[in-house]
Amino acid sequence: MRQQLFGAIALTTLLYFGISEKVHAVGITLDQSTDVGEFLNNAGVTNTQPFGTPLTSIAGNLGGGDNIDLYQIYLPVGTFTASTVGGTNLDTQLFLFNSGGIGVIANNDNFPDFQSQISLPISTAGNYYLGVSLIGFNPQSATGPIFAIDPITNGVQDPSIPGAGFGSSLNGWSSDFSPGQEGYTINVTGAQFVGSTANAAVPFDFNPTFSVTILGLWAGWKYVKNRKKN
């Protein structure tokens, strides 16, 4: 009897940790085949997966009149990174804004590459906006450029090198040339899907709590049944 009970408990434990690991460890790409906006009210929202699902990359297109893409993502406390290096042939820029559209950090070129890369610790978890643009398309607020993007240094721009409009919310973008359209991939770490009401719950067949409950009840029932027989 005890062997059967211990076996059921062991199976329950293995299934719990196995399923739990599957829920929390699998990273997913957001494949944005349609154009997304460049402002907070029309940004692409990472809501195709349940809230908290790890986000590992974002795939989209720039050029041909679509020169800026903005995405709403969720950042937990920890280190966040984003990079287009190796993900496109375009000369890109990356920007991160908080939930109110206030600039956090930006990068023009990750020298010697013409692609971009940002990395910073996140101390306040919440929704953020990650923007990607072609060179020359820079975020503006009501009081001027949000970041002091320097085409000479090509370095990371943050609050220590603000633009005249830093501290005010995003409300526009400067304009420049418009090259041919091409795809891009932004590889990210330390980011998650925002989720939505429709998919906020963990899928039924991957719910570890449900699995543990059912198997635990089954093991208890088998144990009591065998005790009665003896």
Side-chain angles (χ1 to χ4, degrees), residues 2-57:
R2 291 181 179 177
Q3 288 181 342
Q4 290 177 339
L5 177 61
F6 291 152
I9 292 173
L11 177 61
T12 299
T13 302
L14 287 172
L15 283 171
Y16 174 84
F17 286 106
I19 295 172
S20 179
E21 180 68 18
K22 186 170 184 178
V23 170
H24 297 290
V26 175
I28 298 177
T29 294
L30 174 70
D31 191 352
Q32 192 65 49
S33 57
T34 58
D35 182 30
V36 300
E38 60 262 31
F39 299 106
L40 273 59
N41 64 351
N42 62 2
V45 182
T46 55
N47 60 3
T48 58
Q49 298 295 325
F51 169 75
T53 302
L55 174 67
T56 53
S57 61

Side-chain angles (χ1 to χ4, degrees), residues 95-107:
F95 306 93
L96 185 69
F97 307 88
N98 67 15
S99 60
I102 306 299
V104 177
I105 194 170
N107 178 249

Side-chain angles (χ1 to χ4, degrees), residues 109-172:
D109 291 339
N110 183 56
F111 189 79
D113 301 298
F114 288 110
Q115 289 82 47
S116 316
Q117 182 168 293
I118 57 177
S119 176
L120 78 161
I122 301 297
S123 57
T124 302
N127 290 340
Y128 288 77
Y129 290 87
L130 177 63
V132 58
S133 77
L134 295 173
I135 183 69
F137 292 87
N138 300 319
Q140 311 287 310
S141 73
T143 52
I146 294 177
F147 296 101
I149 297 296
D150 188 339
I152 304 301
T153 62
N154 295 326
V156 171
Q157 309 296 314
D158 60 29
S160 65
I161 317 176
F166 190 86
S168 297
S169 182
L170 171 70
N171 75 348

